[in-house]
């Protein structure tokens, strides 16, 4: 059974850092793209960052470039999102998602491209 479990969210002051984890079970991330998405109250879900675990290419939304870093640890079948210099606008529920990579072109930061989703973890940036 495919399962994604996010952790690492919390309350942090502006300028602070958090590291989110997405632990995968039921499949090997090596053959998947794993994306991080977020949804703030009253807003649509938006793509934050994706790693294609087949070739390790990474993709970022403009709003987080230079502040967030996505990475993976193969042995743990886990993908991380390191978030630095957090801003109040980063406040949202963060979700990780997975899709099997078939080699075709994908819109890597589009939610509809992903088949499996975690339950989300809350990130609140506030002073």
């Amino acid at each position: 059974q495919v399962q994604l479990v996010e952790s690492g969210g919390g309350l942090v002051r502006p300028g602070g850092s958090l590291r989110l984890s997405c632990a995968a079970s039921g499949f090997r991330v090596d053959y998947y793209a794993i994306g991080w998405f977020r949804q703030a109250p009253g807003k649509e879900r938006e793509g934050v960052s994706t790693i294609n675990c087949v070739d390790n290419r990474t993709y970022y939304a403009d709003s987080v470039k230079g502040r967030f870093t996505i990475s993976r640890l193969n042995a743990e079948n886990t993908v991380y999102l390191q978030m630095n210099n957090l801003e109040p606008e980063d406040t949202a529920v963060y979700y990780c998602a997975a899709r099997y990579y078939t080699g075709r072109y994908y819109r890597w930061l589009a939610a509809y491209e992903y088949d499996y989703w975690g339950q989300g973890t809350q990130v609140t940036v506030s002073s």
Side-chain angles (χ1 to χ4, degrees):
Q1 181 180 359
V2 172
Q3 190 172 15
L4 298 168
V5 178
E6 304 96 334
S7 60
L11 173 63
V12 63
R13 294 183 183 276
S17 298
L18 283 174
R19 189 178 77 158
L20 304 183
S21 300
C22 174
S25 60
F27 70 103
R28 289 291 308 171
V29 299
D30 308 81
Y31 308 107
Y32 284 73
I34 307 295
W36 284 98
F37 295 79
R38 66 187 181 187
Q39 188 165 19
K43 294 188 177 182
E44 293 188 358
R45 189 169 298 190
E46 64 169 338
V48 174
S49 181
T50 292
I51 182 167
N52 181 352
C53 296
V54 174
D55 59 17
N56 287 321
R57 290 186 179 184
T58 58
Y59 306 86
Y60 295 93
D62 288 342
S63 59
V64 306
K65 281 181 182 176
R67 300 189 300 123
F68 291 10
T69 303
I70 193 169
S71 62
R72 59 184 289 222
L73 286 178
N74 292 358
E76 298 180 356
N77 211 36
T78 299
V79 171
Y80 299 93
L81 185 69
Q82 177 68 42
M83 306 187 297
N84 297 330
N85 194 21
L86 283 160
E87 304 168 351
E89 293 73 22
D90 296 317
T91 296
V93 178
Y94 282 71
Y95 301 88
C96 68
R99 77 142 299 126
Y100 183 76
Y101 180 63
T102 64
R104 69 166 177 86
Y105 169 78
Y106 298 101
R107 291 190 63 197
W108 294 109
L109 299 180
Y112 69 80
E113 295 279 20
Y114 293 80
D115 301 313
Y116 306 104
W117 291 83
Q119 82 289 349
T121 185
Q122 176 71 46
V123 171
T124 302
V125 184
S126 175
S127 55

